[in-house]
Amino acid sequence: MNTYQTFKIQKPKLSCYIGESNFDKDILYKDGIINSAIVSNCSLENFSYENASFDEVVFKNSDFRNCSLKGAELTDIRFIDCDLSNADLSETIIYRTEFINCKLVGTNFSETTLKNVLFQNCNSKLIFLRFCNLKQIGFDNCNMSASDFINSHFSKIYFSKCDLSKSQLSGSSLKGIDFTSCNIDGIVVNIEDLNGAIVSVFQAASLAELMGLIVK
C-alpha cells in the first residue's frame, strides 16, 4: 500500500480466461459494447461514440487521441501505455479502472463519476476533472501540472509524488488529503477549501500568501 494511501482501491476484476481480441471499430458502431477482451495496438484516434460500454477489457499500447466517448461506462478496465490525450470522457462512469504509464494530456473527465480508480506514472498535464465525483482514487507519481479539479467532490483520495503546480482546486474540499510529497506551487484554491489539508512547513509558508500573510 502506498505511504499516502490509508484505504484500499479495488483492482479491476479481470477473468484469467480473457484473451487477445482483434478489435474492430465496427463492433462499437454496431452495438456500442466491448467486453472480456485484451486489446493491443488499436487506434480510436478521432473516433466518436456516445454511451458506449466497456466491461473487463485490457487496452495495451493503444491510441485514443482526440476521441470522444462521452457518457460511456467503463467497468473493470486497465489502460497500459495508452495515449488518451485530448480525449473526451466527460459524463462517464468509471469503476475499478487503472491508467498505467498513460498519456492523459488535456483529457476531459468533466462531470464524471470515478470510484476505485488508479492513475500511476501518467503524464496528465492539463487534465480536466472538474465537477467530478471521485471516491477511492489514487494519483501516484503523475505529472498533473495545470490540472483542473474545480468544484469536484473528493472522498478517500490520495496524491503521491505528483506535480500539481498551477492546478485549479477551487471549490473542492481538501480536508485530510496529504500533499507533502507533491509540488503544489501556484495552485489556485479557496482559503476555506484548505481546512484540514496536510502540507509541509515549506508548503504552508507558500500557501500563507493566499491568506494575505507575510511570512518572515
Side-chain angles (χ1 to χ4, degrees):
M1 182 177 289
N2 190 287
T3 304
Y4 299 89
Q5 181 183 350
T6 58
F7 53 89
K8 183 178 180 180
I9 297 176
Q10 295 181 28
K11 292 182 173 294
K13 295 180 179 179
L14 300 168
S15 170
C16 60
Y17 298 106
I18 64 172
E20 290 283 347
S21 173
N22 293 321
F23 176 79
D24 191 330
K25 291 180 182 179
D26 290 339
I27 297 174
L28 268 178
Y29 279 127
K30 182 179 179 180
D31 53 22
I33 298 172
I34 297 179
N35 54 34
S36 302
I38 297 174
V39 179
S40 299
N41 304 306
C42 80
S43 177
L44 285 175
E45 185 179 5
N46 299 315
F47 177 83
S48 181
Y49 193 102
E50 290 194 10
N51 304 314
S53 177
F54 299 84
D55 186 8
E56 197 180 7
V57 181
V58 177
F59 289 102
K60 298 179 180 179
N61 299 299
S62 295
D63 187 355
F64 296 84
R65 288 176 297 166
N66 302 301
C67 81
S68 177
L69 293 171
K70 187 175 181 179
E73 184 168 337
L74 288 75
T75 305
D76 297 316
I77 309 297
R78 182 171 287 143
F79 294 92
I80 303 172
D81 299 316
C82 294
D83 190 345
L84 296 95
S85 297
N86 298 312
D88 184 1
L89 292 167
S90 60
E91 300 178 31
T92 57
I93 297 174
I94 304 176
Y95 292 144
R96 292 190 302 272
T97 293
E98 295 177 342
F99 297 88
I100 310 296
N101 300 322
C102 289
K103 192 172 182 180
L104 297 157
V105 177
T107 307
N108 183 11
F109 289 97
S110 298
E111 299 181 68
T112 288
T113 296
L114 302 97
K115 185 175 181 180
N116 288 300
V117 178
L118 173 65
F119 298 83
Q120 188 173 65
N121 301 325
C122 292
N123 179 2
S124 37
K125 294 193 293 185
L126 300 167
I127 191 171
F128 285 86
L129 285 154
R130 58 167 54 191
F131 298 101
C132 287
N133 186 1
L134 299 102
K135 185 174 183 179
Q136 291 171 237
I137 309 297
F139 295 96
D140 186 8
N141 194 37
C142 294
N143 183 349
M144 307 186 69
S145 57
S147 55
D148 187 341
F149 287 93
I150 289 176
N151 289 326
S152 285
H153 176 71
F154 295 156
S155 176
K156 296 182 178 179
I157 181 171
Y158 78 84
F159 295 93
S160 175
K161 300 179 182 178
C162 291
D163 183 355
L164 288 159
S165 58
K166 299 181 180 178
S167 291
Q168 293 271 357
L169 292 154
S170 301
S172 302
S173 174
L174 307 180
K175 184 176 181 179
I177 299 177
D178 189 337
F179 292 100
T180 54
S181 70
C182 300
N183 177 3
I184 59 172
D185 292 347
I187 63 168
V188 179
V189 64
N190 297 329
I191 294 173
E192 58 269 24
D193 297 329
L194 289 169
N195 184 31
I198 302 169
V199 297
S200 68
V201 173
F202 177 80
Q203 290 170 330
S206 178
L207 291 170
E209 296 179 6
L210 295 174
M211 305 175 195
L213 300 177
I214 298 174
V215 181
K216 292 186 177 181

